[in-house]
Amino acid sequence: MKNGRGRVTLPSQRDFLEETKELMERWGADAIRDSDGTKLDDDIKQLDAKIYTTYFVARGHNEFAEKYMEECQQLYLMSQFNMAHNQQLKIEFMRGYFEEQLKPDYVHDPKVYWEVIDRTTGKVVDIDDWVVNKEDNIVTITNAIPWHEYTVSFLVYAIWDPTQMYNHITNDWGDTPHDVPFDVRQPHSNKYMKEYLKQWLEENPDTDVVRFTTFFYHFTLVFNNLGKEKFVDWFGYGASVSVAALDAFEKEKGYRLRPEDIVDQGYYNTSFRIPTKAFLDYMDFVQRFVAEEAGKLVDIVHENGKEAMMFLGDNWIGTEPYGEYFKNIGLDAVVGSVGGGATLRMIADIPHVHYTEGRFLPYFFPDTFYEGNNPVIEANENWLTARRAILRNPVDRIGYGGYLSLAYKFPDFVSYIETVTDEFREIYDTIHGIEPYSGLRVAILNSWGKLRTWQTHMVAHALWYKQIYSYLGILESLSGADVDVVFISFDDVINNGVPEGIDVIINAGDAGTAFSGGHYWANEKLVSTIRSWIYNGGGFIGVGEPTAYQHEGHYFQLATALGVDKELGFSLSTDKYFVTPVKEHFITSDSQSYDFGEGMKNIYALSEETEIIEYSDGEVHLASHSFGQGRTVYIAGLPYSEENTRLLMRSLYYAAHKEEEFLRWHSSNIYCEVHAYPAIGKVAIVNNSMEEQTTVIFNGQGHGKEVKLAPSEIRWEVFSDEG
């Protein structure tokens, strides 16, 4: 059944008018967009739809960029580790990098802006003890210490935009010119970006929405000598570095950055690293600059009567939608790619814009749309995981990207998306602006706080990694759960205490990462504040290596509260008698089996007061513990699944001492969920699986009734709290 038209953006391309009109009708699209590598015909632009046009601020202007190659964007990179066998060491610092993307910066003096480091001692090598061979890209160190390792931190020009490079290679664009990115911090580039935008707006009168992709600086994406990704960090600030930026930073902040502040021993300050003061200062510096300059472009767009939309990807660094300066840009909208529930919420929860839009998967690219493959499978999985989050806070629009001609060849896919767009409009029209029922308020505690709202444990946006899926599952589960979620930092707690109204704090991550906390847990104020908060009735859940930092006889600094610690080999001489699991527990009442993902080794109970819930292979994987009036739960890992979502929800309610409220707006079947909207007296009962399900649904008073749901069904019912 059709649910009208609107809130859907359709990608299109040249010579595809009739098919575009057909899919506009079937999917109810009210906006049409181009994509990287496609253009829209004038006839398509005259259709009854808003026209989104992709706009690249700092790439795709080679005629200008090639005139001012000294204003090309830059990066600090680090060479491979090189071991000295005698007092002279030659380092081919570009070894392993892709020379079609990167070119060493010899315009600026390497002796001023580069750094050679003895990685065995950590000392900087005196500039008189090394020289650069610019012809062969070799640094030669004299007076090296044999058997020490050395690296070179060096500046390069980025002569090929990495997103265009990826698309170029993926879609086999042949001899299409390489986009050269330029740095708008530079004088000619800064002037050009404004003048060209004004000219472009005059030349594109049919454009309604300027879709900035994005603004100035790409997330860190560096390719190796084989043209494959070498280093990718969706949050990385590497491509915002330049000599101009370094000089401006020193003038503004009063001290000069070292190359090491950026290359960070080769870790490049990923979001897993606990940020240093220098790097936080640099992020702040870039964010303020980007917000100010992007705001000028948005003003130009508005002066021409058009909307300004930002793509949360590609060149988004510095725009930080949950940062302090984002509101100053003045954007109308943000659009981003939806990998699942967590990324949907990352987009939907963004403040200071008029609307948000999710770009759903799969992209209409040949790596998915090829003969013999069924793209409906990926689309269905993507929709079901995102739908949970939409039912908590919907984006205002959905859409797709890529080559529409590819998708059109798959009629089953076209039909499936027709049902998705109808269902989205039904959800949005029902709950937009309506606050859903929440049983708890949960805080995620890490080094980043609200700046990384719905962004923890990500590497390359929404991609699976062995080391993170056991933690990402927490966010994915929470994204569609009936709890309010906030993100707080260790500094927030140190400076202001635990915020009012929090029921449960979650600290999750591997030891030493920004997400677990590392050296923060040696701060007595942080530890004392949270201990006191738990003891006086708060709930705390630790996952993986929470509060981990070896200090004064504990590895988990909240070990006494958690009732567990991790054996590092230091206390093997101390017997550990507490190994007997409880026969049953509220947390695992719905559990038939356990999946702790990569899990955690050598966790043990501290005393008989620890409630061991799951014990195997000689170690604890799930436990709870009372601490004063509060409760804690330890979980070894939590990949996303329906089973683990239920386990987490039960853990939250147990830690909060609210077990009696667990059956409010609840489904007995883990594959089904209930979303209640008291303000409108409606409830959504959803089947999150691709199979038929039967479940008992409990209302706001905990009274149950049995319902049967078709595969992937969402059912709306009217309710009253009394019955």
Side-chain angles (χ1 to χ4, degrees), residues 32 34 45 51-55 200 204 207 209-212:
I32 299 174
D34 58 4
K45 292 180 181 179
I51 301 299
Y52 292 12
T53 305
T54 300
Y55 187 84
W200 183 90
N204 289 269
T207 294
V209 180
V210 180
R211 194 251 206 189
F212 288 102

Side-chain angles (χ1 to χ4, degrees), residues 469-612:
Y469 77 96
S470 304
Y471 299 119
L472 267 177
I474 299 167
L475 284 195
E476 194 63 32
S477 293
L478 291 175
S479 69
D482 61 351
V483 296
D484 284 334
V485 183
V486 297
F487 293 77
I488 61 174
S489 72
F490 301 116
D491 288 327
D492 291 336
V493 175
I494 292 168
N495 296 327
N496 304 308
V498 177
E500 287 292 325
I502 299 298
D503 293 297
V504 183
I505 293 172
I506 297 177
N507 178 235
D510 286 343
T513 64
F515 304 118
S516 174
H519 62 75
Y520 268 105
W521 291 107
N523 184 299
E524 60 87 17
K525 187 172 183 182
L526 173 68
V527 173
S528 297
T529 298
I530 295 183
R531 282 177 183 158
S532 171
W533 181 80
I534 299 170
Y535 195 85
N536 286 287
F540 188 92
I541 294 179
V543 184
E545 293 180 299
T547 79
Y549 188 73
Q550 185 61 41
H551 179 67
E552 295 298 326
H554 284 311
Y555 186 55
F556 293 170
Q557 289 306 303
L558 293 188
T560 304
L562 285 165
V564 298
D565 206 344
K566 181 173 181 177
E567 176 59 71
L568 298 182
F570 302 151
S571 60
L572 292 176
S573 299
T574 301
D575 291 324
K576 300 171 181 66
Y577 297 107
F578 315 111
V579 298
T580 305
V582 296
K583 288 184 168 42
E584 58 184 26
H585 200 284
F586 173 82
I587 290 175
T588 53
S589 294
D590 294 323
S591 301
Q592 304 299 318
S593 60
Y594 300 101
D595 178 9
F596 300 111
E598 295 305 300
M600 192 55 58
K601 302 296 292 182
N602 304 320
I603 305 299
Y604 66 94
L606 290 176
S607 74
E608 67 275 11
E609 295 175 354
T610 301
E611 297 176 315
I612 300 173

Side-chain angles (χ1 to χ4, degrees), residues 36 54-61 179 211-215 314:
D36 194 2
T54 300
Y55 187 84
F56 301 111
V57 175
R59 59 168 272 213
H61 305 271
D179 281 358
R211 194 251 206 189
F212 288 102
T213 310
T214 305
F215 285 103
D314 293 2

Side-chain angles (χ1 to χ4, degrees), residues 70 141 152 186 192 332 465 542 642 702:
E70 73 280 5
I141 303 173
V152 179
Q186 307 285 354
Y192 175 81
D332 297 287
Y465 280 75
E642 290 84 0

Side-chain angles (χ1 to χ4, degrees), residues 3 18 38 108 121 247 259 272 289 301 325 364 369 465 491 521 528 534 561 569 602 635 651 706 709:
N3 281 294
E18 293 305 317
T38 70
H108 303 96
T121 64
D247 293 345
F272 288 77
F289 170 79
V301 170
Y325 309 108
F364 304 163
F369 289 84
Y465 280 75
D491 288 327
W521 291 107
S528 297
I534 299 170
N602 304 320
I635 307 173
S651 298
E706 185 174 283
L709 298 171

Side-chain angles (χ1 to χ4, degrees), residues 369-384:
F369 289 84
Y370 58 87
E371 187 175 352
N373 193 39
N374 182 5
V376 172
I377 296 173
E378 182 179 351
N380 195 2
E381 291 174 351
N382 184 239
W383 172 244
L384 290 184

